[in-house]
Structures are given as C-alpha cells and as structure tokens.
Amino acid sequence: MSILIIGTGYVGVTTALVFAELGFEVTGLDADERKVQTLSEGKLTFYEPGLQDLLDQHLAAGRIRFTSEAKQAIRQNTILFLCVGTPSDENGSADLRYIRAVAEQIGQSMDDYKVIVIKSTVPIHTNERLTAWIAEAQPHPIPFDVVSNPEFLREGSALQDALHPDRIIIGSRNQAAGLHIQSLYENLNAPCFLTTPTTAEMIKYASNSFLATKISFANELARLCEQLDINVGDVSIGMGYDHRIGPHFLKAGIGYGGSCFPKDIKALLHIAKEQHTRLSILEQVHEVNETQVEHFLQLWERKIGGFAGKRIAILGLSFKPNTDDLREAPSLAVIRYLTSQRAQVRVHDPVAKLPASLQSAGVRQLEHLEDAVAGCDAAIMCSEWDVYRNADWEQLRDEFKQLNIFDGRNVLDRQRLTELGYTYSGIGNAARN
Ligand code: NAD
C-alpha cells in the first residue's frame, strides 16, 4: 500500500520514514523544491537523531521518494497525510493558509476516492472546514473522507516517539475510514482511541496545554523557592514520586519554547475567546512563560553587577537539546535582553545556527565551547545539551574572565562547579550560595 505525506518538515519526514519502516511505499510531497531536491539526495533539512540512517536505508530500497509534483502524487495515492505547518497568526489563532492551499490542490487534482488525514495541529472544526474546502475545489463531486490523527512526537526524540507512541488518536465521522487509518498503525503496539474529529482536535491542544501547565507551575514555584532558599528541583523530585503527579515536565527552567507549545497555547486561548469562555489557568501558563526569562535574567544581572559591557556566553541556542529548531527558543529572548543591556554576546550550540539578524546585531557564534567562554564574565545555559553536562569545567575555568555560571536548565553539577571556584546560580535554587 502507498501513502502520500504532504509537507516534509519535522513531522512529515519523521512520519514518512516511520511508514517506510512499517513496510509501506511512501512519497513525500513538498512545495519547497529545494527541500525535495535535498531529501532526494539523501540529506535531511534539519537535525534529528536517528532519521539519517532510515533515510539512507529507505531511499536505497526505493521505499521512499520525494517530489514537488502535487497533481501526480495526489492521483497516485489513496491515503494522503497532511503535515504542513499551522503557525500562529497575528491574533494568536492558528493560520490555516497552508492547510487550505493543500485542500484546494487535493480537490482540483483528485480523480478517485481518497482518505485525507490531518496530522498537523489544527483548531476545532478544521476537519469539517477541510472537507468543505476540498469539495468546493472539486470540478465535479468525487467521494472522500477526512480523518483527524494528531501527532504527539517531540523534536529531539521524534523517531522514538513516532515508533513507540503512548497512544494513537483517530477522529473520524466515517468509522470505516477511521478503522482503515488505525490499521496502518497495527504493528506499532500502541493503544488506539477512535473518536470524533472535534474531540481528536481538542485532545491535541489539551495535551500540549496540560504539559505546558506543568512546566509553568514548576517555573512559577521556582520564583518562590528562590526567595525561600529551597531547591525547586528537589521539590519536583519529591512531587514526581506521586503517580498522580509524575516526574515529567515538572523541571523548572527559563521557560518552554519550540514550534508547538507557545503557538498551541495561544491557539487554544484564541479558540476559548471566540467561544466567550475564559481559560484563566492557561492564560497564566502563558504569562508565566512570557516573563520567566526576564525574571531570572534580572536576578542574575544583579549578581554580576549589571550586564552592560560584560561578555556573556550563551550555551545552547536551540529550544531544547538534540534539535536545531530555533522556533520560539528561550535563548533568543535571553540574547535580545542581553543586547538591550549592551552586553557582548557569544554563542555556542552543537548544531543550531545563529540567525543572520543576530549576527548583524553583533552576536558571534563560536564553534568550540572553549572559544565561546573565552574572556567571558558569565555563561548562561539555555538548552541542556550533553556537551555542557559533560564539559571539562576544570579546564574551561582558565578561559573565563569571571567564573559565573547561570544554569537556565538546572542540570549542571552545582557542587562540583562550586568546588572548582565557579559561582553557580540556577533557577529556583540559588537564593544564598
Ligand atoms: P515544518 O514547518 O517543519 O514543515 C511544514 C512543511 O510543509 C514545510 O516543509 C513546507 O514547505 C511544507 N508545505 C507548506 N505548504 C505546502 C503545500 N501546499 N504543499 C506541500 N508542502 C507544503 O512543520 P512541522 O514542525 O513539521 O509541523 C507540522 C505540523 O505538525 C504543525 O501543525 C505542527 O503544529 C504539528 N506538530 C509539530 C510537532 C513538532 O515537534 N515539530 C509535533 C507535533 C505536531
């Protein structure tokens, strides 16, 4: 059986390779011809552990191919997965322009029955809107079904998450179409929940909102722990033993980022507003996240007597380790704050690249960690790559001008760093050193 994946970004490429791994013939369709060319040459267009091997393997076996010829690809496949982006609009709502463009392409191109599966994260009732857009674009009526199948993978562990999902959510008005899509996943050994399209759409937003709530809860608690000289990390450990709470997403830090949480929280808040309903908890989740960077930067700024004229190293640019994705990365907010305070900023990241706009603002990226910290008054860790946990901090000591470490992810070994002579401050654990 063959499957068409429309949109070959983080989700599309991962989904395409997982289906190839499950034995299907897969075509990846993207409007970006350069991306198609690069993927066809066996090169990924982003960094994600584990995907390169699968790409090499399935390209060589002829099980996956990439194209930008939409009409032909749509006609050659019966099952079409939509994995295009749904970024935030100016008012916080999800911008459905890519979904709509694909709907029109499908309607105009299809010449027989299709099952169109929405994997992108979309507002409630998008399944119905997509159905209408496709039908309107058809020159004459041809039957099709639209199934909602939201994706829950996390960048940095996308392949593992997609191969071993906690659950598969399928929302379909037509039970046969829903069961057909469920059968594609039968070898994944994951519970499958068949429901309505609107419920499936809400499950995705509600799940991301709940995870963001746990993070913002820990982050706000960190502000109080900071005042009371309590280690918020230990509080999270103690809470996490309770199965009703669980340890995940309870670690305090400088805030969540990435391509999903910030935009999905804003989108759900917008949906609530449209329905004249307040999600007051979620409003605060967003507010805490928006102010977390500044809250801790101001604390740290006082510790080193102001950032003006100081040289500061940023460790980790990507919004989290094992990805090169910079969308809504807290590091960018940190850099903006530092440059506004006239600090000199040096950046290190194992894979992510500094945006050109920051280069022209005088921020420099260094390839080697020792060069990034050389002559610095402080290092601020923004994403917890292993290279920083495992760094030789004893040797790096000679490079710093002043031995200040601000650990925005609470993962470095405070005791060891202190023994080495560093002044260590984390999030919610550094009231009195
Ligand atoms: P992305 O921006 O990396 O990729 C989207 C791709 O769609 C791009 O390559 C773009 O060129 C392509 N595209 C746009 N219009 C097209 C068209 N008309 N025809 C063909 N291709 C087209 O996006 P992503 O991060 O993979 O996210 C995709 C969706 O999945 C979003 O709704 C997102 O919220 C959701 N999601 C993302 C993640 C994640 O971790 N990235 C996790 C779960 C869900």
Side-chain angles (χ1 to χ4, degrees):
M1 200 191 302
S2 66
I3 293 176
L4 178 65
I5 305 291
I6 305 180
T8 56
Y10 287 85
V11 168
V13 165
T14 309
T15 305
L17 288 169
V18 165
F19 280 130
E21 188 70 1
L22 289 171
F24 297 101
E25 261 186 45
V26 184
T27 302
L29 168 69
D30 205 288
D32 182 339
E33 288 181 18
R34 265 211 342 235
K35 202 173 260 194
V36 167
Q37 178 70 28
T38 308
L39 287 164
S40 303
E41 287 166 5
K43 288 179 250 164
L44 287 170
T45 53
F46 54 87
Y47 176 83
E48 182 62 44
L51 291 186
Q52 187 64 56
D53 285 351
L54 285 192
L55 181 62
D56 295 344
Q57 197 181 314
H58 293 302
L59 271 176
R63 212 167 291 133
I64 194 164
R65 67 181 197 97
F66 297 93
T67 181
S68 52
E69 296 292 328
K71 187 171 183 175
Q72 201 186 27
I74 290 165
R75 289 194 170 175
Q76 284 170 348
N77 291 274
T78 303
I79 301 173
L80 281 45
F81 274 83
L82 265 63
C83 302
V84 295
T86 48
S88 281
D89 218 335
E90 276 159 21
N91 61 8
S93 66
D95 178 352
L96 293 182
R97 91 176 81 150
Y98 303 110
I99 295 276
R100 184 164 191 163
V102 173
E104 286 167 0
Q105 263 169 343
I106 294 173
Q108 286 157 10
S109 308
M110 64 192 282
D111 55 1
D112 59 4
Y113 173 76
K114 309 284 173 203
V115 187
I116 296 115
V117 188
I118 312 176
K119 221 171 216 325
S120 304
T121 304
V122 290
I124 322 306
H125 292 305
T126 300
N127 185 302
E128 287 159 48
R129 294 178 76 190
L130 181 76
T131 305
W133 288 332
I134 294 173
E136 281 162 21
Q138 288 181 334
H140 55 270
I142 301 169
F144 64 94
D145 283 296
V146 177
V147 173
S148 298
N149 173 216
E151 179 53 57
F152 297 94
L153 65 78
R154 294 161 300 174
E155 286 174 23
S157 54
L159 182 59
Q160 281 311 304
D161 290 347
L163 284 172
H164 308 283
D166 289 335
R167 78 300 210 185
I168 289 155
I169 304 293
I170 293 177
S172 181
R173 281 181 296 269
N174 175 345
Q175 203 194 13
L179 290 171
H180 186 185
I181 298 309
Q182 179 178 354
S183 72
L184 305 180
Y185 293 107
E186 66 192 3
N187 289 328
L188 282 189
N189 190 25
C192 192
F193 183 50
L194 267 173
T195 182
T196 63
T198 47
T199 309
E201 289 162 346
M202 182 56 99
I203 287 170
K204 173 64 193 178
Y205 278 121
S207 300
N208 273 2
S209 297
F210 188 74
L211 294 172
T213 302
K214 286 185 84 176
I215 296 173
S216 277
F217 177 83
N219 286 346
E220 196 171 40
L221 197 67
R223 302 182 190 186
L224 179 60
C225 286
E226 188 82 21
Q227 295 302 323
L228 295 172
D229 199 14
I230 295 169
N231 186 332
V232 74
D234 290 345
V235 175
S236 295
I237 291 171
M239 288 173 68
Y241 283 117
D242 186 328
H243 292 292
R244 296 167 301 176
I245 299 172
H248 305 293
F249 287 79
L250 257 193
K251 293 198 178 76
I254 47 166
Y256 58 74
S259 66
C260 291
F261 283 5
K263 90 171 165 65
D264 293 349
I265 274 69
K266 277 189 265 175
L268 188 56
L269 285 171
H270 183 83
I271 292 165
K273 198 168 155 199
E274 279 180 336
Q275 300 302 318
H276 309 290
T277 303
R278 266 195 82 183
L279 292 179
S280 56
I281 294 174
L282 206 56
E283 285 171 9
Q284 285 309 309
V285 167
H286 175 65
E287 170 68 19
V288 169
N289 200 60
E290 289 285 290
T291 51
Q292 186 75 348
V293 160
E294 197 162 323
H295 181 91
F296 279 94
L297 279 177
Q298 286 175 353
L299 266 178
W300 297 338
E301 187 170 18
R302 285 198 287 278
K303 287 184 188 239
I304 65 162
F307 285 131
K310 302 263 167 52
R311 185 179 286 189
I312 311 292
I314 300 296
L315 310 186
L317 255 188
S318 54
F319 82 95
K320 66 171 176 179
N322 299 318
T323 178
D324 59 356
D325 200 341
L326 287 184
R327 290 178 281 187
E328 304 276 341
S331 65
L332 302 179
V334 172
I335 294 171
R336 277 194 297 272
Y337 183 90
L338 292 173
T339 49
S340 76
Q341 301 300 309
R342 299 187 317 283
Q344 289 176 40
V345 184
R346 301 284 184 265
V347 166
H348 179 267
D349 190 285
V351 296
K353 296 278 171 274
L354 189 68
S357 58
L358 289 175
Q359 283 178 36
S360 44
V363 179
R364 279 184 61 201
Q365 180 161 19
L366 285 307
E367 194 185 338
H368 300 291
L369 182 53
E370 55 273 28
D371 296 333
V373 300
C376 279
D377 297 283
I380 301 180
M381 197 176 71
C382 293
S383 43
E384 65 274 35
W385 287 86
D386 280 346
V387 68
Y388 308 129
R389 291 177 201 254
N390 304 330
D392 185 343
W393 289 101
E394 187 170 0
Q395 202 186 328
L396 287 174
R397 204 167 43 172
D398 300 337
E399 306 292 343
F400 279 82
K401 183 170 160 204
Q402 292 196 73
L403 295 173
N404 290 302
I405 301 277
F406 299 128
D407 181 356
R409 296 294 171 191
N410 279 355
V411 296
L412 297 178
D413 185 340
R414 176 198 191 119
Q415 193 183 336
R416 163 115 178 101
L417 288 170
T418 309
E419 281 164 14
L420 288 172
Y422 289 93
T423 302
Y424 172 95
S425 305
I427 299 280
N429 61 15
R432 285 171 275 280
N433 279 304

